[in-house]
Amino acid sequence: GVAFREAVHWQVLQQCPLKSLQGDLSVDIEAFMPDRRRRDLDNILKALLDAITHAGVWMDDSQIVDLRIRKAKTIGGMVKVKILQVSDKR
């Protein structure tokens, strides 16, 4: 768990400015499985969202009001995460 959290933090530092997002958020996740074994998508979420929180991307994952996750092709294990701030005009 600690190694995964550190790996996520490193990726955040490489790809995003260091500021915590405020307000409501929409999160879209593409999960590229490491192999063809059966996996449940919901098992990916907890560790990933907690690691993103720990990296300081947002204040708390309770800010997420729209969450989508889907399986993508098998390419050796990776996730792509897209985070958008949701406007107050819903």
Side-chain angles (χ1 to χ4, degrees):
V2 173
F4 176 75
R5 194 167 41 179
E6 289 175 4
V8 170
H9 191 220
W10 175 251
Q11 287 299 316
V12 167
L13 288 175
Q14 296 296 310
Q15 299 176 35
C16 303
L18 277 180
K19 74 170 199 172
S20 290
L21 297 171
Q22 304 294 316
D24 291 343
L25 304 173
S26 173
V27 179
D28 184 70
I29 301 168
E30 266 187 292
F32 297 83
M33 300 298 137
D35 54 44
R36 294 194 161 286
R37 287 183 288 173
R38 291 172 50 140
R39 288 184 169 77
D40 295 339
L41 284 176
D42 60 329
N43 291 336
I44 295 170
L45 285 174
K46 179 70 174 155
L48 178 61
L49 297 180
D50 286 349
I52 293 171
T53 301
H54 186 263
V57 173
W58 49 59
M59 299 301 294
D60 187 76
D61 57 7
S62 67
Q63 292 172 250
I64 300 170
V65 297
D66 181 24
L67 176 61
R68 298 165 195 229
I69 184 168
R70 65 188 169 283
K71 284 184 183 178
K73 59 187 169 185
T74 302
I75 61 166
M78 167 177 81
V79 293
K80 288 185 179 180
V81 180
K82 182 178 180 180
I83 304 166
L84 297 172
Q85 289 184 296
V86 176
S87 74
D88 292 335
K89 301 175 188 173
R90 285 200 241 170

